C-alpha cells in the first residue's frame, strides 16, 4: 500500500498516519519529523533547514528530495509507505510522480483530511511536543507540562506560535492545497472529515481505503 496524507497543519495528519501505518504495517515517513530531528541534532542538514522550519516556510525542494529519493530507493520502501508532509507543493508532486513512474510503481490513495481553519487554530494553540521524546500531545490541565510517554517536559513547538501558525496556514492554502486537485484529477483523492475523535477519524479512513 502506497499512501500520501494531505491536510492543513493541525488537521491530524501525524496522529492518523501513525495509526494507519501501524494497521497496514507500512513505514510512516514524516518529512517534518525528520527535519525536526536533524535540527535538534544540529546536523549540517538541520542547520540548513532550521530557519525555514521555525518561520513556517517550506524548506527548499532540493533538501526534501535528499530525504525522499534515498527513502524511495531503500528496501524499507519496498513494502509500501505512508508519506506525511510530502509532497508539499506542485513541483514536489510532479517530481515525485516521475520518480514513482521510473520505479514502476504508483500511489494507491491520497488521504485528504479536511478541518476548518477556526478548528485548526484552536487545536494548534493546544498542541504540545515533548522536548525529550518528541511525542506530540494536546495540552491537558491535569497533566500540565509533563510528557505522558517519557516524563519529559512538554513545550509549544516554535512553529505553533500564533503568528507562525497563520503563516503556515497561508503557505498551506497557496502551495499545498492545489495538490488536492492535482491528485483528484488522477483519481487518487479520498476526502476525510477530520473533525471528531482520533478514533472516529481513523475509522472513516479505514472504511474508505
Ligand atoms: P510538518 O510537521 O509536516 O507540519 O512540517 C513542519 C515544517 O517542516 C514545515 O512548516 C516546513 O518548514 C518543513 N517541511 C516539512 N515537509 C516539507 C516539505 N515536503 N517541503 C518543504 N518543507 C517541508
Amino acid at each position: 500500500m502506497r499512501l500520501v496524507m494531505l491536510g492543513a497543519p493541525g488537521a491530524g495528519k501525524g496522529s492518523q498516519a501513525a495509526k494507519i501505518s501501524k494497521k497496514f504495517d507500512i513505514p510512516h515517513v514524516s518529512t517534518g519529523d525528520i527535519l525536526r530531528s536533524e535540527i535538534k541534532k544540529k546536523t549540517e542538514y538541520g542547520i540548513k533547514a532550521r530557519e525555514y522550519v521555525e518561520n513556517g516556510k517550506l524548506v527548499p525542494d532540493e533538501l526534501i528530495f535528499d530525504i525522499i529519493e534515498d527513502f524511495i530507493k531503500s528496501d524499507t520502501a519496498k513494502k509500501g509507505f505512508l508519506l506525511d508532509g510530502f509532497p508539499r507543493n506542485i513541483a514536489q508532486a510532479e517530481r515525485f510522480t516521475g520518480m514513482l513512474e521510473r520505479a514502476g510503481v504508483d500511489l494507491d490513495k491520497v488521504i485528504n483530511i479536511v478541518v476548518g481553519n477556526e478548528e485548526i487554530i484552536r487545536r494548534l494553540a493546544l498542541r504540545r511536543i515533548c522536548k525529550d521524546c518528541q511525542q506530540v500531545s494536546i495540552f491537558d490541565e491535569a497533566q500540565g507540562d509533563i510528557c505522558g510517554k517519557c516524563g519529559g517536559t512538554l513545550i509549544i513547538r516554535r512553529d505553533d506560535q500564533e503568528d507562525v501558525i497563520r503563516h503556515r496556514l497561508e503557505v498551506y492554502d497557496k502551495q499545498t492545497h492545489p495538490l488536492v486537485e492535482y491528485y483528484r484529477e488522477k483519481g487518487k483523492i479520498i476526502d476525510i472529515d477530520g473533525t471528531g475523535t482520533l478514533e472516529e477519524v481513523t475509522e472513516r479512513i479505514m472504511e474508505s481505503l
Side-chain angles (χ1 to χ4, degrees):
M1 182 84 86
R2 294 180 199 87
L3 302 170
V4 162
M5 197 72 120
L6 283 182
K13 292 190 300 293
S15 312
Q16 292 303 332
K19 293 201 158 229
I20 305 297
S21 70
K22 211 168 171 184
K23 292 207 189 240
F24 289 108
D25 190 27
I26 49 175
H28 165 202
V29 177
S30 157
T31 43
D33 284 351
I34 294 170
L35 290 168
R36 280 184 288 279
S37 149
E38 295 291 317
I39 292 170
K40 193 167 180 234
K41 288 189 277 181
K42 296 194 169 77
T43 61
E44 195 185 328
Y45 187 86
I47 291 166
K48 283 188 196 155
R50 180 176 176 165
E51 207 192 308
Y52 298 96
V53 174
E54 290 189 347
N55 291 304
K57 295 186 167 61
L58 295 186
V59 309
D61 293 348
E62 285 313 316
L63 283 186
I64 292 295
F65 276 98
D66 283 352
I67 303 174
I68 295 294
E69 258 159 356
D70 283 353
F71 171 71
I72 294 294
K73 284 186 205 143
S74 73
D75 282 346
T76 323
K78 294 223 160 50
K79 64 175 179 181
F81 50 76
L82 197 175
L83 297 180
D84 155 19
F86 175 89
R88 207 63 166 237
N89 58 31
I90 293 284
Q92 289 183 10
E94 286 177 341
R95 191 161 152 189
F96 182 49
T97 300
M99 206 191 281
L100 293 176
E101 277 169 8
R102 281 192 298 282
V105 295
D106 195 7
L107 289 177
D108 291 289
K109 288 290 172 205
V110 174
I111 303 164
N112 177 36
I113 306 192
V114 185
V115 178
N117 271 8
E118 298 261 302
E119 171 69 6
I120 295 270
I121 290 175
R122 193 189 67 80
R123 285 187 190 179
L124 289 179
L126 292 175
R127 179 157 81 176
R128 300 290 182 271
I129 189 163
C130 175
K131 228 166 79 177
D132 301 317
C133 74
Q134 308 285 300
Q135 173 77 24
V136 172
S137 56
I138 297 296
F139 180 73
D140 166 8
E141 292 250 351
Q143 178 94 18
D145 60 0
I146 306 296
C147 173
K149 190 174 167 196
C150 78
T153 308
L154 296 178
I155 55 168
I156 298 181
R157 240 168 77 172
R158 205 185 147 93
D159 61 342
D160 280 346
Q161 316 279 348
E162 193 168 336
D163 53 333
V164 185
I165 291 176
R166 289 192 187 279
H167 183 65
R168 287 169 67 206
L169 288 174
E170 271 173 38
V171 169
Y172 174 79
D173 283 340
K174 278 202 198 108
Q175 304 202 46
T176 311
H177 191 255
L179 295 182
V180 176
E181 284 321 306
Y182 176 86
Y183 283 119
R184 201 180 299 284
E185 280 171 18
K186 292 181 183 292
K188 302 287 183 198
I189 285 280
I190 309 176
D191 291 305
I192 299 290
D193 171 6
T195 58
T197 65
L198 197 70
E199 290 73 24
E200 282 165 347
V201 179
T202 311
E203 217 171 292
R204 283 177 208 138
I205 298 176
M206 293 306 290
E207 274 168 12
S208 49
L209 278 175

